[in-house]
Amino acid sequence: YGIELTFDKYLSKEYYYMVNGSLFHSSYKGGDGIWRNTRYNRNFAFNFLFGKEWFLGKNKQNVLGANVRLNYQGGDHYSPINNTLSLVNQAPIFDERNAFSLQYPSAFTSHLTASYQMNKKKTSHQIALSIINLTKYEEYLGFRYNYQTKKIDLHQEPVIVPNLSYRIDF
């Protein structure tokens, strides 16, 4: 259950924006009859999108566009590690009696897109570059056994995804 609120301004005067906020709770009842958080019970998510377009060309038929999206949300839930069993098995073993009782910290991410669209009489061509996770947020990817320290380590990596695309419409 939850509530979501969105404000948006459609493209006019060559810019647009959207502000969105969600407050929610997501839980499940396990086979043991206990209510627990789901993995994705982040509790909140806030998004802001702003974009601008410039009309170019002899007849202002081409469009240069740029937009930025900012996101701030609660972290995923996860189950605690059973350190004793994990060290014996040399692999993460979770305490599922306390499933999803812990939560990663909140996350701030940002994405940037730039595009150029050429509009012809019967076709349009668009080239775009998107960079996802521009701020290099380190995604929580789970846990793994460290053979050098003989401990269970939290595995995080900044996943930055550049995406170059070309589209033709006819």
Side-chain angles (χ1 to χ4, degrees), residues 17-81:
Y17 67 85
M18 182 178 71
V19 179
N20 172 277
S22 299
L23 300 173
F24 58 91
H25 182 77
S26 175
S27 58
Y28 71 97
K29 188 175 184 179
D32 56 6
I34 297 174
W35 283 94
R36 294 183 175 89
N37 290 307
T38 65
R39 176 180 179 183
Y40 301 106
N41 185 21
R42 296 174 181 258
N43 300 113
F44 69 90
F46 301 105
N47 300 287
F48 175 74
L49 171 72
F50 178 82
K52 174 94 172 110
E53 293 186 346
W54 296 269
F55 296 95
L56 307 172
K58 190 164 57 169
N59 297 320
K60 304 265 187 220
Q61 77 279 9
N62 300 329
V63 182
L64 175 65
N67 72 54
V68 63
R69 187 179 93 195
L70 307 174
N71 175 273
Y72 183 66
Q73 62 188 1
D76 286 340
H77 279 80
Y78 65 98
S79 301
I81 297 288

Side-chain angles (χ1 to χ4, degrees), residues 69 110-114 129-135 160-163:
R69 187 179 93 195
S110 64
H111 315 295
L112 177 69
T113 301
L129 174 64
S130 295
I131 302 174
I132 299 169
N133 195 17
L134 190 63
T135 48
I160 302 166
V161 181
N163 182 16

